[in-house]
Amino acid sequence: MQREEKVTWAETSEPDGPAPRQRSKLSKYKSIRQQVSLSEEKFDTRTLPADIQRVYGHLAEKFGEEYALTFVFTVRTASELHRAWHMTLLTSRILQQIKDKFNMRMTWELGVFKLKFRVEDGGYELHRKVPYDYDSEFQDLYMKIAVALVEGRITIHQALNFQSDTKHGKHTAASGLFLRDFPGRLVLYPIEAATCAVIFFSGDWYDAGIAALCGFVAGLVEYALSTIGGDAKTLIDVLVGTSTGIISGLFYRFHEEHDICLPAIFLGTLYWFFYGTAFVLGILEIIAGELETGVVRFMAVSVKTFVLTLGTTFGMRIALENSYDAWFDQAGCGNIDLDTKWWRIPLYLACSASALGQYRLPIVHYWRGLIVQLVGYEVQYQAATYFVNTHQQDNLGVASSNVLGAMAAVLAAVYLSGIVNKLSSYYNARLLQRNPEPFSSFGESMYNLTAWWVRVSNAIGFGRKSDLTFLEMEDTLRQQSRELNDPNHARQQITLNKEQEGILLEAIVGAEPLNIWSLLMPTVYQLVPGSLIAKLWFNSVFPPDFVDEGEATLPSGETIKTEVPDKQAEAVFSNLMVIATSLALGLMLGLGLVQLLNFIATKTLKKCFSVDNRSQSTENLIKRKDARQSIMATIPEDDPDSDDELQDVNDEADEVEAKTPSLTEVNLDLLEDSEASDEKKDQIAMEVQLP
């Protein structure tokens, strides 16, 4: 890494000793980020791939280093969010904010696997083929990095270096690193397989044990083939299915004293490998107008599921003499009535915890994820139970329960995150010195509670050590800040070493709100069992028996029995469409309801309580935050007006901007106004210094 000479915030000393330093009235409101000038560790562009280095060189020569680095940051952000299974619709929102903030002249196409980036009206174009995997932690971190850059809290060099450190696991807790990759990741496979077999697919505890064994073997297969790499990785699905079919088939064949539910074992084990959320996202993308991406995603996951299914039937053929009869042997299925069991919810939570591990969500955030998952599941479950008697002949009950479950999950994720962010703001304000005023009793309690949680999570090995280190730095930083702002003290700068600078930067980025979609994606994963599509493919391999329709009398007087296809068994695909589409609609309705409730609350406060004290900068910040969560927002550049209309709009905007003084200028004038109250001055000063 190239390193520049460190520059301090304060003035240098005169030869005859420290001169008295003149500080403005705003100095006491400077946060620790504004008081410490971090040493600018320049991003080493030599670490970039060859093609992006070439584009970077051309852009830097023509438009400057910062413009070229912003293009690099945008490409890396899109690639890593895509790799972490972030929705393409949401990734486009944050890319658009980066583009607008830094006046980037670039476009992009985000497909299922292929990503295209164009800059300078297509003068340069980069292609990436990025496989995706579940990664809620990176989905959250890369979004926070981008938000911190857009909001001006970090520089472009800091953002790029933070991305590199994130990629190398430097911002992940030790517990997260254990579950992030093999061999530690192997502990999750049997837990998810066993719990899913019982909670979702009508298996019993014996089936759960077999599923756990199959899940562990499936994990070993994926571990081995991933280690070999290359073409071996393409065999993961078929070999996982084959191993599952062989093990389950052997138990079915040689343990005749216990009835076995093969569908429960198969679907529970393969649950890990079924991208159930892809069906919902595909529907969302189609509704949002991203037809190519949505259709390709839907078809791709269908083919992937068929490969897993076919591999399983190969395994059954190896282990069993009659695979057809074994598949339709339902004697061992449905022996547990979950409605009567007290452990239904604890078992679901255990299954959900394994799903959060699969999604690589940091363990310290499991409690948030489990709350959102439980709310969605319980609303869906209770609604389905309520509608079961009134919609026996149609799928309206299933669709309604899915819509309600998804809406409840969205509301839980948004408002739980809002509450947690509000409560944790006291902790961040204290450590980052964003608020010089003493806290109320409630604020002090919230700070102590958060500090206690940081210490406890580190004591049990779940938290990041850097969080505890920064907490322990609080007294030292506050003391140095007081000395720096004391005109009579000799301190000229706040001193941090390289490690402490990194910890401070991590705290600044970590103070950004948690990405709610890092909680919603595992919830959607649990609400739509991807194994439903597997049932469709199993029915194509093992066609269901015909059912008796009754007897018919021919004109000759002869009586015959008539048989028709089992419509219920063949309706798996229509059921899948009902579930996937209803969940997609539930997510859209949930987000729409959140916006409606927020709009009503804002208007009510303004009208009834005359609360209208938000500055324009605060309003813009809230709008940017809402846009990052929206999946249906449109980008004007995708369908621009005519040149004449655009020119009129631009001219009008330039005229308004020229006549309007900046927020800082207005607020500084008010601060000097002797008639303004001290409380108003404090509020304005906080807005000016808002990081």
CSV table of all heavy atoms in Angstrom, one decimal, residues 603-626:
chain,number,residue,atom,x,y,z
A,603,LYS,N,-47.2,13.5,8.1
A,603,LYS,CA,-48.2,14.5,7.9
A,603,LYS,C,-49.0,14.8,9.2
A,603,LYS,O,-49.3,16.0,9.5
A,603,LYS,CB,-49.2,14.1,6.8
A,603,LYS,CG,-48.6,14.0,5.4
A,603,LYS,CD,-48.0,15.4,5.0
A,603,LYS,CE,-47.5,15.3,3.6
A,603,LYS,NZ,-46.9,16.6,3.1
A,604,THR,N,-49.2,13.8,10.0
A,604,THR,CA,-50.0,14.0,11.2
A,604,THR,C,-49.2,14.8,12.2
A,604,THR,O,-49.7,15.7,12.9
A,604,THR,CB,-50.3,12.6,11.8
A,604,THR,OG1,-51.1,11.8,10.9
A,604,THR,CG2,-51.1,12.8,13.1
A,605,LEU,N,-47.9,14.5,12.3
A,605,LEU,CA,-47.0,15.2,13.3
A,605,LEU,C,-46.9,16.7,12.8
A,605,LEU,O,-47.0,17.6,13.7
A,605,LEU,CB,-45.6,14.6,13.3
A,605,LEU,CG,-45.5,13.2,14.0
A,605,LEU,CD1,-44.1,12.7,13.8
A,605,LEU,CD2,-45.9,13.4,15.5
A,606,LYS,N,-46.8,16.9,11.6
A,606,LYS,CA,-46.7,18.3,11.1
A,606,LYS,C,-48.0,19.1,11.3
A,606,LYS,O,-47.9,20.3,11.7
A,606,LYS,CB,-46.3,18.3,9.6
A,606,LYS,CG,-44.9,17.9,9.3
A,606,LYS,CD,-44.6,18.0,7.8
A,606,LYS,CE,-43.2,17.7,7.5
A,606,LYS,NZ,-42.9,17.8,6.0
A,607,LYS,N,-49.1,18.4,11.1
A,607,LYS,CA,-50.4,19.2,11.2
A,607,LYS,C,-50.9,19.3,12.6
A,607,LYS,O,-51.3,20.4,13.0
A,607,LYS,CB,-51.4,18.4,10.3
A,607,LYS,CG,-52.7,19.2,10.2
A,607,LYS,CD,-53.7,18.6,9.2
A,607,LYS,CE,-54.9,19.4,9.0
A,607,LYS,NZ,-55.8,18.8,8.0
A,608,CYS,N,-50.8,18.2,13.4
A,608,CYS,CA,-51.4,18.2,14.7
A,608,CYS,C,-50.5,18.8,15.7
A,608,CYS,O,-50.9,19.5,16.7
A,608,CYS,CB,-51.8,16.8,15.1
A,608,CYS,SG,-53.0,16.1,14.0
A,609,PHE,N,-49.1,18.7,15.6
A,609,PHE,CA,-48.2,19.1,16.6
A,609,PHE,C,-47.2,20.2,16.1
A,609,PHE,O,-46.3,20.6,16.7
A,609,PHE,CB,-47.4,17.9,17.1
A,609,PHE,CG,-48.2,16.8,17.7
A,609,PHE,CD1,-48.6,15.7,16.9
A,609,PHE,CD2,-48.8,17.0,19.0
A,609,PHE,CE1,-49.4,14.7,17.5
A,609,PHE,CE2,-49.6,16.0,19.5
A,609,PHE,CZ,-49.9,14.8,18.7
A,610,SER,N,-47.5,20.7,14.8
A,610,SER,CA,-46.7,21.7,14.2
A,610,SER,C,-45.2,21.3,14.2
A,610,SER,O,-44.3,22.1,14.5
A,610,SER,CB,-46.9,23.0,15.0
A,610,SER,OG,-48.2,23.4,14.9
A,611,VAL,N,-44.9,20.0,14.0
A,611,VAL,CA,-43.6,19.6,14.0
A,611,VAL,C,-43.1,19.6,12.5
A,611,VAL,O,-43.5,18.8,11.7
A,611,VAL,CB,-43.5,18.1,14.5
A,611,VAL,CG1,-42.0,17.6,14.4
A,611,VAL,CG2,-43.9,18.1,15.9
A,612,ASP,N,-42.2,20.6,12.2
A,612,ASP,CA,-41.7,20.7,10.9
A,612,ASP,C,-40.3,21.3,10.9
A,612,ASP,O,-40.0,22.3,10.4
A,612,ASP,CB,-42.6,21.7,10.1
A,612,ASP,CG,-42.3,21.6,8.6
A,612,ASP,OD1,-41.5,20.7,8.2
A,612,ASP,OD2,-42.7,22.5,7.8
A,613,ASN,N,-39.4,20.6,11.7
A,613,ASN,CA,-38.1,21.1,11.9
A,613,ASN,C,-37.0,20.4,11.2
A,613,ASN,O,-35.8,20.5,11.5
A,613,ASN,CB,-37.8,21.1,13.4
A,613,ASN,CG,-37.9,19.7,14.0
A,613,ASN,OD1,-38.3,18.7,13.3
A,613,ASN,ND2,-37.5,19.5,15.2
A,614,ARG,N,-37.4,19.6,10.1
A,614,ARG,CA,-36.3,18.9,9.4
A,614,ARG,C,-35.7,19.8,8.3
A,614,ARG,O,-36.4,20.5,7.6
A,614,ARG,CB,-36.9,17.7,8.6
A,614,ARG,CG,-37.2,16.5,9.5
A,614,ARG,CD,-37.9,15.4,8.7
A,614,ARG,NE,-38.1,14.2,9.4
A,614,ARG,CZ,-38.8,13.2,9.0
A,614,ARG,NH1,-39.3,13.2,7.7
A,614,ARG,NH2,-39.0,12.1,9.7
A,615,SER,N,-34.4,19.8,8.3
A,615,SER,CA,-33.7,20.6,7.3
A,615,SER,C,-33.8,19.9,5.9
A,615,SER,O,-34.2,18.7,5.9
A,615,SER,CB,-32.3,20.8,7.6
A,615,SER,OG,-31.6,19.6,7.6
A,616,GLN,N,-33.5,20.6,4.8
A,616,GLN,CA,-33.6,20.0,3.5
A,616,GLN,C,-32.5,18.8,3.4
A,616,GLN,O,-32.8,17.8,2.8
A,616,GLN,CB,-33.3,21.0,2.4
A,616,GLN,CG,-33.5,20.5,1.0
A,616,GLN,CD,-34.9,20.0,0.8
A,616,GLN,OE1,-35.9,20.7,1.1
A,616,GLN,NE2,-35.0,18.9,0.2
A,617,SER,N,-31.4,19.0,4.0
A,617,SER,CA,-30.4,18.0,4.0
A,617,SER,C,-30.9,16.7,4.7
A,617,SER,O,-30.6,15.6,4.2
A,617,SER,CB,-29.1,18.4,4.6
A,617,SER,OG,-29.3,18.8,6.0
A,618,THR,N,-31.6,16.9,5.8
A,618,THR,CA,-32.1,15.7,6.5
A,618,THR,C,-33.2,15.0,5.7
A,618,THR,O,-33.3,13.8,5.6
A,618,THR,CB,-32.7,16.1,7.8
A,618,THR,OG1,-31.7,16.8,8.6
A,618,THR,CG2,-33.2,14.9,8.6
A,619,GLU,N,-34.1,15.9,5.0
A,619,GLU,CA,-35.1,15.3,4.1
A,619,GLU,C,-34.5,14.5,3.0
A,619,GLU,O,-34.9,13.4,2.7
A,619,GLU,CB,-36.0,16.4,3.6
A,619,GLU,CG,-36.9,17.1,4.6
A,619,GLU,CD,-38.1,16.3,4.9
A,619,GLU,OE1,-38.3,15.2,4.3
A,619,GLU,OE2,-38.9,16.7,5.8
A,620,ASN,N,-33.4,15.0,2.4
A,620,ASN,CA,-32.8,14.3,1.3
A,620,ASN,C,-32.1,13.0,1.8
A,620,ASN,O,-32.1,12.0,1.1
A,620,ASN,CB,-31.7,15.2,0.7
A,620,ASN,CG,-32.3,16.4,-0.1
A,620,ASN,OD1,-33.5,16.3,-0.5
A,620,ASN,ND2,-31.5,17.4,-0.2
A,621,LEU,N,-31.5,13.0,3.0
A,621,LEU,CA,-31.0,11.8,3.6
A,621,LEU,C,-32.0,10.7,3.8
A,621,LEU,O,-31.8,9.6,3.4
A,621,LEU,CB,-30.3,12.2,4.9
A,621,LEU,CG,-29.4,11.1,5.6
A,621,LEU,CD1,-28.3,11.7,6.3
A,621,LEU,CD2,-30.3,10.2,6.5
A,622,ILE,N,-33.2,11.1,4.3
A,622,ILE,CA,-34.3,10.2,4.5
A,622,ILE,C,-34.8,9.6,3.1
A,622,ILE,O,-35.0,8.4,3.0
A,622,ILE,CB,-35.4,10.8,5.3
A,622,ILE,CG1,-34.9,11.2,6.7
A,622,ILE,CG2,-36.6,9.9,5.3
A,622,ILE,CD1,-36.0,11.9,7.5
A,623,LYS,N,-34.9,10.5,2.1
A,623,LYS,CA,-35.3,10.0,0.8
A,623,LYS,C,-34.3,9.0,0.2
A,623,LYS,O,-34.7,8.0,-0.4
A,623,LYS,CB,-35.5,11.2,-0.1
A,623,LYS,CG,-36.7,12.1,0.2
A,623,LYS,CD,-36.8,13.3,-0.8
A,623,LYS,CE,-38.0,14.2,-0.4
A,623,LYS,NZ,-38.1,15.3,-1.4
A,624,ARG,N,-33.0,9.3,0.4
A,624,ARG,CA,-32.0,8.3,-0.1
A,624,ARG,C,-32.1,7.0,0.6
A,624,ARG,O,-32.0,5.9,0.0
A,624,ARG,CB,-30.6,8.9,0.0
A,624,ARG,CG,-30.3,10.1,-1.0
A,624,ARG,CD,-28.8,10.4,-1.0
A,624,ARG,NE,-28.4,10.9,0.3
A,624,ARG,CZ,-28.3,12.2,0.7
A,624,ARG,NH1,-28.8,13.1,-0.2
A,624,ARG,NH2,-27.8,12.5,1.8
A,625,LYS,N,-32.3,7.1,1.9
A,625,LYS,CA,-32.5,5.8,2.7
A,625,LYS,C,-33.7,5.0,2.2
A,625,LYS,O,-33.6,3.8,2.0
A,625,LYS,CB,-32.6,6.2,4.1
A,625,LYS,CG,-32.8,4.9,5.0
A,625,LYS,CD,-32.9,5.4,6.5
A,625,LYS,CE,-33.3,4.1,7.3
A,625,LYS,NZ,-33.5,4.5,8.8
A,626,ASP,N,-34.8,5.7,2.0
A,626,ASP,CA,-36.0,5.0,1.5
A,626,ASP,C,-35.8,4.4,0.2
A,626,ASP,O,-36.3,3.3,-0.1
A,626,ASP,CB,-37.2,6.0,1.6
A,626,ASP,CG,-37.6,6.4,3.0
A,626,ASP,OD1,-37.3,5.7,3.9
A,626,ASP,OD2,-38.3,7.4,3.1
